[in-house]
Amino acid sequence: DIQMTQSPSSLSASVGDRVTITCRTSQTISIYLNWYQQRPGKAPKLLIYSTSSLQSGVPSRFSGSGSGTDFTLTISSLLPEDFATYYCQQSYITPLTFGGGTKLEIK
Amino acid sequence: QVQLVQSGAEVKKPGASVKVSCQASGYTFTTYGITWVRQAPGQGLEWMGWISADNGNINYAQKFQVRVTMTRDTSTSTAYMELRSLRSDDTAIYYCARNESSGLGYWGQGTLVTVSS
């Protein structure tokens, strides 16, 4: 199975900050990396697919980059509704695997 | 609009089985597969497997291979996930999600399954 390592596991930031979350995979997955946001008590929501493509309806302050084994999710200017947990997921091969999550908290 | 509506919360005893349903609407059911993901309390997301809504082909995570069965009923646009021989560590929220080439684009609201004696 492909192992997914997300960092940091938690992050404190302020409204307006720029934040970056990293995801590293145990083997190359080309660009088959997705990012999800999960708010407390809610189902995950797809933000970014295929490394850098923005899901319909997702604000442009979210962006993704990377290839191979190293990927990043960047939020350019945090809004209050962005404080949530973020997960990366590889869709290169089954079993699909998720990172452990990054909890983004208000400083 | 696309919706995936799951069945309600369940409480089961160890050793029992649970069957969770996921009814799709707002799109042609057989166009997309359905993936099942679970999330233990306070933990991350775990992929359980996938079923093609078109032909019923399945792909289970090895961890669940012997205990899970995923099925679908195209006449009611409903997917099902049955997990047998439940243990306390199966306590989790179980989600269905629409499997798109771009990722898991639509999710059900989740079904809490509690396993307790």
Coordinates of all heavy atoms in Angstrom, one line a residue, chain A residues 5-80:
Chain A
T5 N 2.2 10.6 4.1 CA 2.7 11.3 5.3 C 2.4 12.8 5.1 O 2.9 13.5 4.3 CB 4.2 11.1 5.5 OG1 4.5 9.7 5.6 CG2 4.6 11.8 6.8
Q6 N 1.5 13.3 6.0 CA 1.1 14.7 6.0 C 1.8 15.5 7.0 O 2.0 14.9 8.2 CB -0.4 14.8 6.2 CG -1.2 15.2 5.0 CD -2.7 15.4 5.4 OE1 -3.5 14.4 5.3 NE2 -3.0 16.6 5.7
S7 N 2.2 16.7 6.8 CA 2.8 17.5 7.8 C 2.4 19.0 7.5 O 2.2 19.4 6.4 CB 4.3 17.4 7.8 OG 4.9 17.7 6.5
P8 N 2.2 19.8 8.6 CA 2.2 19.3 10.0 C 0.9 18.5 10.3 O 0.0 18.6 9.5 CB 2.4 20.6 10.8 CG 1.7 21.6 10.0 CD 2.0 21.2 8.6
S9 N 0.9 17.9 11.5 CA -0.4 17.3 11.9 C -1.4 18.3 12.4 O -2.6 18.1 12.4 CB -0.1 16.2 12.9 OG 0.6 16.7 14.0
S10 N -0.8 19.4 12.9 CA -1.7 20.5 13.4 C -0.9 21.8 13.1 O 0.3 21.9 13.0 CB -2.0 20.4 14.8 OG -0.9 20.5 15.7
L11 N -1.7 22.9 13.0 CA -1.2 24.2 12.6 C -2.0 25.3 13.1 O -3.3 25.2 13.0 CB -1.1 24.2 11.0 CG -0.7 25.5 10.3 CD1 0.7 25.8 10.7 CD2 -0.8 25.2 8.8
S12 N -1.5 26.2 13.8 CA -2.2 27.4 14.3 C -1.9 28.6 13.4 O -0.7 28.8 13.1 CB -1.8 27.7 15.7 OG -2.2 26.7 16.6
A13 N -2.9 29.3 13.0 CA -2.7 30.4 12.1 C -3.8 31.4 12.3 O -4.8 31.1 13.0 CB -2.7 30.0 10.6
S14 N -3.6 32.6 11.8 CA -4.6 33.7 11.9 C -5.3 34.0 10.6 O -4.8 33.7 9.5 CB -3.8 35.0 12.4 OG -3.2 34.7 13.6
V15 N -6.4 34.6 10.7 CA -7.2 35.0 9.5 C -6.3 35.9 8.7 O -5.6 36.8 9.3 CB -8.5 35.8 9.9 CG1 -9.1 36.4 8.7 CG2 -9.4 34.8 10.6
G16 N -6.2 35.7 7.4 CA -5.4 36.4 6.5 C -4.0 35.8 6.3 O -3.3 36.2 5.3
D17 N -3.6 34.8 7.1 CA -2.3 34.2 6.9 C -2.3 33.3 5.6 O -3.4 32.9 5.2 CB -2.0 33.3 8.1 CG -1.5 34.0 9.3 OD1 -1.3 35.3 9.2 OD2 -1.3 33.4 10.3
R18 N -1.1 33.1 5.1 CA -0.9 32.1 4.0 C -0.4 30.8 4.7 O 0.6 30.9 5.5 CB 0.1 32.6 3.0 CG 0.5 31.7 1.9 CD 1.6 32.3 1.1 NE 2.0 31.5 0.0 CZ 1.5 31.6 -1.2 NH1 0.6 32.4 -1.5 NH2 2.0 30.8 -2.2
V19 N -1.0 29.7 4.4 CA -0.5 28.4 5.0 C -0.3 27.4 3.9 O -0.9 27.4 2.9 CB -1.5 27.9 6.0 CG1 -1.7 28.9 7.2 CG2 -2.8 27.5 5.4
T20 N 0.7 26.5 4.2 CA 1.0 25.4 3.3 C 1.0 24.1 4.1 O 1.6 24.0 5.2 CB 2.4 25.7 2.6 OG1 2.3 26.9 1.9 CG2 2.7 24.5 1.7
I21 N 0.4 23.1 3.5 CA 0.4 21.8 4.1 C 1.0 20.8 3.1 O 0.8 21.0 1.9 CB -1.1 21.3 4.3 CG1 -1.8 22.2 5.3 CG2 -1.1 19.9 4.8 CD1 -3.3 22.1 5.5
T22 N 1.8 19.9 3.6 CA 2.6 19.0 2.7 C 2.2 17.6 2.9 O 1.8 17.2 3.9 CB 4.1 19.1 3.1 OG1 4.6 20.5 2.9 CG2 5.0 18.2 2.3
C23 N 2.2 16.9 1.8 CA 1.9 15.5 1.7 C 3.0 14.8 0.9 O 3.3 15.2 -0.2 CB 0.5 15.3 1.0 SG -0.1 13.6 1.0
R24 N 3.5 13.7 1.5 CA 4.6 12.9 0.9 C 4.1 11.5 0.8 O 3.6 10.9 1.7 CB 5.9 13.0 1.7 CG 7.0 12.1 1.1 CD 8.4 12.5 1.7 NE 8.8 13.8 1.2 CZ 9.9 14.5 1.6 NH1 10.6 14.0 2.6 NH2 10.2 15.6 1.1
T25 N 4.3 10.9 -0.4 CA 3.9 9.6 -0.6 C 5.1 8.6 -0.7 O 6.2 9.0 -1.0 CB 3.1 9.4 -1.9 OG1 4.0 9.8 -3.0 CG2 1.9 10.4 -2.0
S26 N 4.8 7.3 -0.3 CA 5.9 6.4 -0.2 C 6.4 5.9 -1.6 O 7.5 5.2 -1.6 CB 5.5 5.2 0.6 OG 4.4 4.5 0.0
Q27 N 5.7 6.2 -2.6 CA 6.1 5.9 -4.0 C 5.5 6.9 -4.9 O 4.5 7.6 -4.6 CB 5.8 4.4 -4.4 CG 4.3 4.1 -4.5 CD 4.0 2.7 -4.8 OE1 4.2 1.8 -3.9 NE2 3.7 2.4 -6.0
T28 N 6.0 7.0 -6.1 CA 5.6 8.0 -7.0 C 4.1 7.7 -7.5 O 3.7 6.5 -7.7 CB 6.5 8.1 -8.3 OG1 6.0 9.2 -9.1 CG2 6.5 6.8 -9.0
I29 N 3.3 8.8 -7.5 CA 1.9 8.6 -7.9 C 1.6 9.6 -9.1 O 0.4 9.9 -9.3 CB 1.0 8.9 -6.7 CG1 1.2 10.3 -6.1 CG2 1.2 7.8 -5.6 CD1 0.1 10.7 -5.1
S30 N 2.6 10.0 -9.8 CA 2.3 11.0 -10.9 C 1.6 12.2 -10.3 O 2.1 12.8 -9.3 CB 1.6 10.3 -12.0 OG 1.4 11.2 -13.1
I31 N 0.5 12.5 -10.8 CA -0.2 13.7 -10.3 C -1.5 13.3 -9.6 O -2.4 14.1 -9.3 CB -0.6 14.7 -11.4 CG1 -1.5 14.1 -12.4 CG2 0.7 15.3 -12.1 CD1 -2.2 15.0 -13.4
Y32 N -1.7 12.0 -9.3 CA -3.0 11.5 -8.7 C -3.1 11.7 -7.2 O -3.2 10.8 -6.4 CB -3.1 10.0 -9.1 CG -3.2 9.8 -10.6 CD1 -2.1 9.4 -11.3 CD2 -4.4 10.1 -11.3 CE1 -2.1 9.3 -12.7 CE2 -4.4 10.0 -12.7 CZ -3.3 9.5 -13.4 OH -3.3 9.4 -14.7
L33 N -3.2 13.0 -6.9 CA -3.2 13.4 -5.5 C -4.4 14.4 -5.3 O -4.5 15.4 -6.1 CB -1.9 14.1 -5.1 CG -1.6 14.4 -3.6 CD1 -2.3 15.6 -3.1 CD2 -1.8 13.1 -2.7
N34 N -5.2 14.1 -4.4 CA -6.4 14.9 -4.1 C -6.3 15.5 -2.7 O -5.7 14.9 -1.8 CB -7.7 14.1 -4.2 CG -7.8 13.4 -5.6 OD1 -7.4 14.0 -6.6 ND2 -8.2 12.1 -5.6
W35 N -7.0 16.6 -2.5 CA -7.1 17.2 -1.1 C -8.6 17.4 -0.7 O -9.4 17.8 -1.6 CB -6.4 18.6 -1.1 CG -4.9 18.6 -1.3 CD1 -4.2 18.7 -2.4 CD2 -4.0 18.4 -0.2 NE1 -2.9 18.6 -2.2 CE2 -2.7 18.4 -0.8 CE3 -4.1 18.2 1.1 CZ2 -1.5 18.3 -0.1 CZ3 -2.9 18.1 1.9 CH2 -1.6 18.1 1.3
Y36 N -8.8 17.1 0.5 CA -10.2 17.2 1.1 C -10.1 18.1 2.3 O -9.2 18.1 3.1 CB -10.7 15.9 1.5 CG -10.9 14.9 0.3 CD1 -9.8 14.2 -0.1 CD2 -12.1 14.8 -0.4 CE1 -9.9 13.3 -1.2 CE2 -12.2 14.0 -1.5 CZ -11.1 13.2 -1.9 OH -11.3 12.4 -3.0
Q37 N -11.2 18.8 2.5 CA -11.4 19.6 3.7 C -12.6 19.0 4.5 O -13.6 18.6 3.9 CB -11.9 21.0 3.4 CG -12.2 21.9 4.5 CD -12.9 23.2 4.1 OE1 -14.0 23.2 3.5 NE2 -12.2 24.3 4.3
Q38 N -12.4 18.8 5.8 CA -13.5 18.3 6.7 C -13.7 19.2 7.8 O -12.8 19.4 8.7 CB -13.2 16.9 7.1 CG -14.3 16.2 7.9 CD -14.1 14.8 8.3 OE1 -12.9 14.5 8.6 NE2 -15.1 14.0 8.3
R39 N -14.9 19.7 7.9 CA -15.3 20.5 9.1 C -15.9 19.6 10.1 O -16.4 18.5 9.8 CB -16.3 21.6 8.7 CG -15.7 22.6 7.7 CD -16.6 23.8 7.5 NE -16.0 24.8 6.7 CZ -16.4 25.1 5.4 NH1 -17.4 24.4 4.9 NH2 -15.8 26.1 4.7
P40 N -15.8 20.0 11.4 CA -16.3 19.1 12.5 C -17.8 18.7 12.2 O -18.6 19.5 11.9 CB -16.2 20.0 13.7 CG -15.1 21.0 13.4 CD -15.2 21.2 11.9
G41 N -18.0 17.4 12.4 CA -19.3 16.9 12.2 C -19.9 16.8 10.8 O -21.0 16.5 10.6
K42 N -19.0 17.1 9.8 CA -19.4 17.0 8.4 C -18.6 16.0 7.6 O -17.5 15.6 8.0 CB -19.2 18.4 7.8 CG -20.0 19.5 8.5 CD -21.5 19.3 8.3 CE -22.3 20.5 8.8 NZ -23.8 20.2 8.7
A43 N -19.1 15.7 6.5 CA -18.4 14.8 5.6 C -17.3 15.6 4.9 O -17.3 16.8 4.8 CB -19.3 14.3 4.5
P44 N -16.2 14.9 4.5 CA -15.2 15.6 3.7 C -15.7 16.2 2.4 O -16.7 15.8 1.9 CB -14.2 14.4 3.4 CG -14.4 13.4 4.5 CD -15.9 13.5 4.7
K45 N -15.0 17.2 2.0 CA -15.3 17.9 0.8 C -14.1 18.0 -0.1 O -13.0 18.4 0.3 CB -15.8 19.3 1.1 CG -16.0 20.3 -0.1 CD -16.3 21.7 0.4 CE -16.3 22.7 -0.7 NZ -16.5 24.1 -0.2
L46 N -14.3 17.6 -1.4 CA -13.1 17.6 -2.3 C -12.8 19.1 -2.7 O -13.7 19.8 -3.1 CB -13.5 16.8 -3.6 CG -12.5 16.8 -4.7 CD1 -11.2 16.0 -4.2 CD2 -13.1 16.1 -5.9
L47 N -11.5 19.4 -2.5 CA -11.1 20.8 -2.8 C -10.3 20.8 -4.1 O -10.5 21.6 -5.0 CB -10.2 21.3 -1.7 CG -10.7 21.5 -0.3 CD1 -9.6 22.0 0.6 CD2 -11.9 22.5 -0.3
I48 N -9.3 19.9 -4.2 CA -8.3 19.9 -5.3 C -8.2 18.4 -5.8 O -8.1 17.5 -4.9 CB -6.9 20.3 -4.8 CG1 -6.9 21.7 -4.2 CG2 -5.9 20.2 -5.9 CD1 -6.9 22.9 -5.1
Y49 N -8.2 18.2 -7.1 CA -8.0 16.9 -7.6 C -6.8 17.0 -8.6 O -6.5 18.0 -9.1 CB -9.2 16.3 -8.2 CG -9.7 17.1 -9.4 CD1 -9.4 16.8 -10.7 CD2 -10.6 18.2 -9.2 CE1 -9.9 17.5 -11.8 CE2 -11.1 18.9 -10.3 CZ -10.7 18.6 -11.6 OH -11.2 19.3 -12.7
S50 N -6.2 15.8 -8.8 CA -5.1 15.7 -9.8 C -4.0 16.8 -9.5 O -3.6 17.5 -10.4 CB -5.6 15.8 -11.2 OG -6.5 14.8 -11.5
T51 N -3.7 16.9 -8.2 CA -2.6 17.8 -7.7 C -3.0 19.2 -7.7 O -2.8 19.9 -6.7 CB -1.3 17.6 -8.5 OG1 -0.8 16.2 -8.3 CG2 -0.2 18.5 -8.1
S52 N -3.5 19.8 -8.8 CA -3.7 21.2 -8.9 C -5.0 21.7 -9.5 O -5.1 22.9 -9.6 CB -2.5 21.8 -9.7 OG -2.5 21.2 -11.0
S53 N -5.9 20.8 -9.8 CA -7.2 21.2 -10.4 C -8.2 21.6 -9.3 O -8.4 20.7 -8.4 CB -7.7 20.2 -11.3 OG -6.9 20.0 -12.4
L54 N -8.8 22.7 -9.4 CA -9.7 23.2 -8.4 C -11.1 22.6 -8.6 O -11.6 22.7 -9.8 CB -9.8 24.7 -8.4 CG -10.2 25.5 -7.2 CD1 -9.2 25.3 -6.1 CD2 -10.3 27.0 -7.5
Q55 N -11.6 21.9 -7.7 CA -13.0 21.4 -7.8 C -14.0 22.5 -8.0 O -13.8 23.6 -7.4 CB -13.4 20.6 -6.6 CG -14.8 20.0 -6.5 CD -15.0 18.8 -7.5 OE1 -14.2 18.6 -8.4 NE2 -16.0 18.1 -7.3
S56 N -15.0 22.3 -8.8 CA -16.0 23.3 -9.0 C -16.6 23.9 -7.7 O -16.9 23.2 -6.8 CB -17.2 22.7 -9.8 OG -18.2 23.7 -10.1
G57 N -16.6 25.2 -7.7 CA -17.2 25.9 -6.5 C -16.2 26.2 -5.4 O -16.5 26.9 -4.4
V58 N -15.0 25.7 -5.5 CA -14.0 25.9 -4.5 C -13.3 27.2 -4.7 O -12.8 27.5 -5.9 CB -13.0 24.8 -4.4 CG1 -11.8 25.0 -3.5 CG2 -13.7 23.5 -4.1
P59 N -13.1 28.1 -3.7 CA -12.5 29.4 -3.9 C -11.1 29.3 -4.4 O -10.3 28.4 -4.1 CB -12.6 30.0 -2.5 CG -13.6 29.3 -1.8 CD -13.6 27.9 -2.3
S60 N -10.7 30.3 -5.1 CA -9.4 30.3 -5.8 C -8.2 30.6 -4.8 O -7.0 30.5 -5.1 CB -9.3 31.4 -6.9 OG -9.6 32.7 -6.3
R61 N -8.5 30.9 -3.5 CA -7.5 31.0 -2.5 C -6.8 29.6 -2.2 O -5.8 29.6 -1.6 CB -8.0 31.7 -1.2 CG -9.0 30.9 -0.5 CD -9.4 31.7 0.8 NE -10.5 31.0 1.5 CZ -11.8 31.0 1.3 NH1 -12.2 31.8 0.3 NH2 -12.6 30.3 2.0
F62 N -7.5 28.6 -2.6 CA -6.9 27.2 -2.5 C -6.2 26.9 -3.7 O -6.7 27.1 -4.8 CB -8.0 26.2 -2.2 CG -8.7 26.3 -0.9 CD1 -9.9 27.1 -0.8 CD2 -8.3 25.7 0.2 CE1 -10.5 27.2 0.4 CE2 -8.9 25.8 1.4 CZ -10.0 26.5 1.5
S63 N -5.0 26.3 -3.5 CA -4.2 25.8 -4.7 C -3.4 24.6 -4.3 O -3.1 24.4 -3.1 CB -3.3 27.0 -5.3 OG -2.4 27.4 -4.3
G64 N -3.0 23.8 -5.3 CA -2.2 22.7 -5.0 C -1.1 22.6 -6.1 O -1.2 23.1 -7.2
S65 N 0.0 21.9 -5.6 CA 1.1 21.7 -6.6 C 1.9 20.5 -6.2 O 1.6 19.9 -5.1 CB 2.0 22.9 -6.5 OG 2.6 23.1 -5.2
G66 N 2.8 20.1 -7.0 CA 3.7 19.0 -6.8 C 3.6 17.9 -7.9 O 2.9 18.1 -8.8
S67 N 4.4 16.9 -7.7 CA 4.3 15.7 -8.6 C 5.2 14.6 -8.0 O 6.1 14.9 -7.1 CB 4.8 16.1 -10.0 OG 6.2 16.4 -10.0
G68 N 5.1 13.4 -8.5 CA 5.9 12.3 -8.0 C 5.6 11.9 -6.6 O 4.6 11.1 -6.4
T69 N 6.3 12.4 -5.6 CA 6.1 12.0 -4.2 C 5.8 13.1 -3.3 O 5.5 12.9 -2.1 CB 7.2 11.1 -3.7 OG1 8.4 12.0 -3.7 CG2 7.5 9.9 -4.5
D70 N 5.9 14.4 -3.8 CA 5.8 15.5 -2.9 C 4.8 16.5 -3.4 O 4.9 17.0 -4.5 CB 7.2 16.2 -2.7 CG 8.2 15.3 -2.0 OD1 8.0 15.2 -0.7 OD2 9.1 14.8 -2.6
F71 N 3.9 16.8 -2.5 CA 2.7 17.6 -2.9 C 2.4 18.7 -1.8 O 2.7 18.4 -0.6 CB 1.5 16.8 -3.1 CG 1.7 15.7 -4.1 CD1 2.3 14.5 -3.8 CD2 1.4 15.9 -5.5 CE1 2.5 13.5 -4.7 CE2 1.6 15.0 -6.4 CZ 2.2 13.7 -6.1
T72 N 1.8 19.8 -2.2 CA 1.4 20.8 -1.2 C 0.1 21.4 -1.5 O -0.4 21.5 -2.7 CB 2.4 22.0 -1.2 OG1 2.5 22.6 -2.5 CG2 3.8 21.5 -0.8
L73 N -0.6 21.7 -0.5 CA -1.9 22.5 -0.5 C -1.6 23.8 0.1 O -1.0 23.9 1.2 CB -3.0 21.8 0.3 CG -4.3 22.6 0.5 CD1 -5.0 22.7 -0.8 CD2 -5.1 21.9 1.5
T74 N -1.9 24.9 -0.6 CA -1.7 26.2 -0.1 C -3.0 27.0 0.0 O -3.8 26.9 -0.9 CB -0.7 27.0 -1.0 OG1 0.5 26.3 -1.0 CG2 -0.5 28.4 -0.5
I75 N -3.2 27.7 1.1 CA -4.4 28.6 1.2 C -3.8 30.0 1.3 O -3.0 30.2 2.2 CB -5.2 28.3 2.5 CG1 -5.5 26.8 2.6 CG2 -6.5 29.1 2.5 CD1 -6.2 26.3 3.8
S76 N -4.1 30.8 0.4 CA -3.4 32.1 0.2 C -3.7 33.1 1.3 O -2.8 33.8 1.7 CB -3.6 32.7 -1.2 OG -5.0 33.0 -1.3
S77 N -4.9 33.1 1.7 CA -5.3 34.1 2.8 C -6.5 33.5 3.5 O -7.6 33.5 3.0 CB -5.7 35.4 2.1 OG -6.0 36.4 3.1
L78 N -6.2 33.1 4.7 CA -7.2 32.3 5.5 C -8.4 33.1 5.8 O -8.3 34.3 6.3 CB -6.6 31.8 6.8 CG -5.6 30.6 6.7 CD1 -4.9 30.4 8.0 CD2 -6.4 29.4 6.3
L79 N -9.6 32.5 5.7 CA -10.8 33.0 6.1 C -11.3 32.2 7.3 O -10.8 31.0 7.5 CB -11.9 33.0 5.0 CG -11.6 33.9 3.8 CD1 -12.7 33.9 2.8 CD2 -11.4 35.4 4.2
P80 N -12.2 32.7 8.1 CA -12.6 31.9 9.3 C -13.2 30.6 9.0 O -13.0 29.6 9.7 CB -13.7 32.8 9.9 CG -13.4 34.2 9.5 CD -12.8 34.1 8.1

